[in-house]
Amino acid sequence: MLYHTIVAGGEGVERDRLEQLLGSDDEASVADLAVLCAGASHVVWDGTTSAESLARIYGRRLRLTLRKGIETTGLEQAVQRLSRYGGPVRLGQIREADGAWTFVLFLNQDGSALVACTGVRRTPTEP
């Protein structure tokens, strides 16, 4: 089910709260925030997944994107943060209006804190 606001603890968290969560100065957070402020859609799904399993999954994705030359932002850092994080993680997504980039958010269980984020280019860059 898609939401236009984050659902955290049964209460919707508005776009401005998500903007606050992305207030870090790392490359992926800056990119996520810029796309969100430009009107991108966003969603956070109900339920959680273990950070450890997500670290393994996104570790494989990191190797694949490197091998195929797919542009990412913050993927290596997200894998590291997920590996260190001990709790369950909620997944969210921000999709750029033109579909060029998709960003994945890894939030704590109640959606009140950002654990990590990453982005992947969905359309090839022009030569």
Side-chain angles (χ1 to χ4, degrees):
M1 177 182 280
L2 297 180
Y3 296 94
H4 292 286
T5 60
I6 292 179
V7 176
E11 298 177 20
V13 178
E14 300 301 324
R15 182 177 289 266
D16 62 341
R17 177 64 181 136
L18 183 55
E19 290 172 2
Q20 291 172 356
L21 293 175
L22 292 167
S24 177
D25 62 354
D26 66 86
E27 183 179 328
S29 292
V30 169
D32 285 14
L33 181 57
V35 168
L36 186 65
C37 289
S41 63
H42 67 281
V43 60
V44 172
W45 291 278
D46 288 334
T48 60
T49 305
S50 81
E52 182 180 311
S53 67
L54 289 171
R56 284 192 306 272
I57 291 166
Y58 281 85
R60 286 191 295 270
R61 289 184 184 180
L62 174 61
R63 291 186 294 279
L64 177 68
T65 59
L66 289 171
R67 194 168 56 246
K68 292 190 174 225
I70 298 169
E71 187 178 358
T72 65
T73 182
L75 184 52
E76 184 173 359
Q77 185 178 31
V79 170
Q80 292 168 356
R81 286 182 177 178
L82 288 167
S83 294
R84 290 190 304 262
Y85 187 72
V89 176
R90 281 180 84 171
L91 289 172
Q93 183 182 78
I94 297 173
R95 181 167 288 171
E96 196 169 25
D98 66 3
W101 282 85
T102 298
F103 297 91
V104 179
L105 308 173
F106 305 94
L107 302 165
N108 67 347
Q109 186 170 0
D110 68 2
S112 65
L114 183 69
V115 174
C117 60
T118 184
V120 62
R121 181 176 289 281
R122 305 303 292 183
T123 58
T125 57
E126 295 184 21

